[in-house]
């Protein structure tokens, strides 16, 4: 099944058009895709190309810094907190109960830039102290602009998702007006000559589902590609569409919709051969809920509500390799 076109293209201009038929068709396509595979590819998303390029350039410059300079921005308050995280600090497979060697990636996490913001981490809910490298002067401005554009898009997506789920348009926004969020700049470095070959069962990022409401992913073509798990347990390559963004359902939204939509496992295998000499960069915006949200499964009255923040903390504890 690898290489099969499994995820639809969702043109947001059709949703914005005001044409009732186009909006209905868009909402139906979103619902079908999230029921089936939990992923969308969106075009005409409205995040300016120059904002994306500025964020990618600043990210590349930050990851290219010497290790001792990155270490000054080290994430110190647990997985999920702001700052730089080296290879070996996370194993995402553990979130799905599958032990695996640490993921072959570096991450630079930027949390909310709003004054007084907090962020859930594997050590609990902490005040945000973003780590902006002084050696990359454009970094803070570029990431702030990307976050602003991503949050504006997410508000539009929450409305589309509610309509797709046959709910009032503000259903998800009621508990996602000021959502907790992280922008994870993720660098999958080449496997250099002085690095050990990947261990058996080691991934660039191991099989996992995302933890929050939705994830908005900006990525480049890669070998191996991002793979998603199908309902029969097999894995399929997610196609790369230039100028698009990937949106996928997280655990919180899947629970919130009463299981109507899937929070689907996905992974990136470790590269081999010529591909092992190439690095890849992704910009990953994780959207959760407002602080204190309790999510009652829609259509399943009487089921236990999800404490959204505690759920995140438990998952972050699971993937933090520094914890016992």
């Amino acid at each position: 099944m690898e290489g099969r076109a499994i995820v639809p293209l969702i043109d947001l201009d059709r949703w914005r058009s005001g044409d009732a038929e186009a909006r209905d068709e868009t909402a139906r396509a979103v619902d079908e895709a999230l029921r089936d595979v939990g992923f969308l590819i969106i075009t005409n998303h409205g995040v300016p190309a120059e904002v994306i390029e500025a964020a990618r350039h600043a990210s590349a410059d930050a990851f290219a810094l010497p290790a001792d300079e990155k270490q000054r921005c080290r994430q110190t308050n647990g997985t999920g907190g702001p700052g730089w995280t080296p290879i070996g600090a996370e194993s995402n497979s553990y979130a799905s109960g599958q032990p695996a060697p640490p993921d072959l990636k570096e991450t630079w996490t930027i949390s909310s830039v709003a004054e007084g913001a907090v962020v859930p981490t594997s050590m609990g809910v902490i005040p945000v102290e973003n780590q902006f490298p002084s050696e990359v002067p454009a970094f803070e401005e570029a990431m702030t602009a990307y976050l602003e554009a991503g949050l504006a898009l997410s508000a539009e997506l929450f409305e589309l998702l509610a309509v797709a789920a046959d709910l009032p348009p503000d259903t998800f926004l009621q508990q996602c007006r000021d959502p907790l969020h992280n922008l994870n700049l993720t660098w999958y470095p080449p496997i250099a000559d002085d690095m050990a070959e990947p261990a058996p069962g080691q991934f660039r990022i191991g099989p996992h589902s995302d933890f929050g409401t939705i994830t908005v992913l900006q990525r480049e073509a890669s070998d191996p590609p991002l793979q998603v798990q199908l309902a029969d347990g097999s894995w399929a390559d997610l196609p790369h569409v230039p100028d698009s963004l990937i949106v996928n359902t997280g655990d919180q939204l899947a629970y919130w919709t009463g299981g109507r939509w899937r929070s689907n496992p996905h992974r990136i295998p470790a590269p081999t051969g010529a591909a092992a000499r190439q690095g890849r960069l992704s910009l990953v915006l994780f959207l959760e809920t407002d602080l204190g949200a309790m999510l009652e499964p829609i259509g399943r009255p009487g089921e236990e509500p999800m404490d959204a923040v505690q759920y995140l903390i438990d998952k972050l504890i699971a993937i933090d390799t520094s914890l016992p």
Side-chain angles (χ1 to χ4, degrees):
M1 287 211 182
E2 292 189 357
R4 187 183 120 204
I6 56 168
V7 179
L9 292 180
I10 302 296
D11 183 349
L12 286 189
D13 274 353
R14 300 196 74 226
W15 171 252
R16 301 181 184 114
S17 68
D19 178 85
E21 183 177 356
R23 286 172 64 87
D24 287 346
E25 288 176 355
T26 302
R28 283 199 302 272
V30 167
D31 182 43
E32 290 172 4
L34 296 185
R35 286 175 182 266
D36 181 31
V37 73
F39 277 74
L40 310 168
I41 300 174
I42 59 172
T43 59
N44 292 314
H45 45 72
V47 179
E50 60 270 22
V51 170
I52 293 173
E53 285 307 304
R56 293 188 66 86
H57 283 303
S59 299
D61 289 346
F63 284 117
L65 292 172
D68 60 340
E69 294 179 9
K70 289 187 285 190
Q71 187 65 33
R72 291 199 292 271
C73 293
R74 179 75 161 86
Q75 187 183 71
T76 57
N77 289 311
T79 294
W84 172 71
T85 303
I87 290 175
E90 296 179 12
S91 179
N92 274 264
S93 293
Y94 276 87
S96 300
Q98 302 175 33
D103 296 329
L104 296 169
K105 66 181 179 69
E106 295 180 39
T107 305
W108 208 303
T109 299
I110 298 94
S111 297
S112 172
V113 296
E115 185 175 353
V118 297
V119 60
T121 78
S122 57
M123 297 174 67
V125 178
I126 63 168
V128 171
E129 294 182 9
N130 281 312
Q131 303 295 319
F132 300 121
S134 58
E135 299 87 352
V136 184
F139 189 89
E140 181 174 0
E141 181 179 357
M143 299 313 154
T144 300
Y146 191 87
L147 273 175
E148 289 175 351
L151 289 170
L153 171 61
S154 73
E156 183 177 24
L157 290 172
F158 282 130
E159 180 179 330
L160 168 56
L161 291 168
V163 174
D166 301 316
L167 299 168
D170 67 344
T171 299
F172 300 132
L173 281 170
Q174 287 179 10
Q175 296 201 74
C176 299
R177 297 194 185 281
D178 186 20
L180 298 165
H181 58 274
N182 272 345
L183 173 58
N184 275 16
L185 316 173
T186 307
W187 171 238
Y188 303 103
I191 299 176
D193 292 337
D194 59 351
M195 291 176 62
E197 289 295 314
Q202 192 167 29
F203 294 82
R204 273 187 157 164
I205 186 166
H208 68 286
S209 60
D210 291 343
F211 313 146
T213 57
I214 58 173
T215 302
V216 179
L217 166 65
Q218 197 284 326
R219 69 185 184 115
E220 57 190 334
S222 64
D223 181 16
L226 177 66
Q227 296 180 332
V228 296
Q229 190 172 44
L230 304 181
D232 64 4
S234 64
W235 292 89
D237 297 347
L238 197 68
H240 178 260
V241 178
D243 303 321
S244 69
L245 295 173
I246 305 297
V247 176
N248 65 281
T249 315
D251 297 347
Q252 289 180 345
L253 192 59
Y255 189 84
W256 199 352
T257 61
R260 177 185 184 121
W261 292 338
R262 298 184 66 195
S263 179
N264 210 10
H266 46 285
R267 68 185 186 183
I268 301 178
T272 59
R277 300 296 179 255
Q278 299 177 350
R280 288 293 182 265
L281 176 67
S282 294
L283 312 180
V284 194
L285 178 57
F286 295 107
L287 281 301
E288 282 91 39
T289 63
D290 296 340
L291 189 66
M294 299 294 291
L295 306 180
E296 298 183 7
I298 294 168
R300 295 185 178 180
E303 284 203 18
E304 187 74 21
M306 173 189 284
D307 182 331
V309 169
Q310 188 58 54
Y311 181 84
L312 291 173
I313 292 170
D314 291 344
K315 288 292 188 178
L316 292 166
I317 288 171
I319 68 172
D320 190 335
T321 61
S322 70
L323 298 175

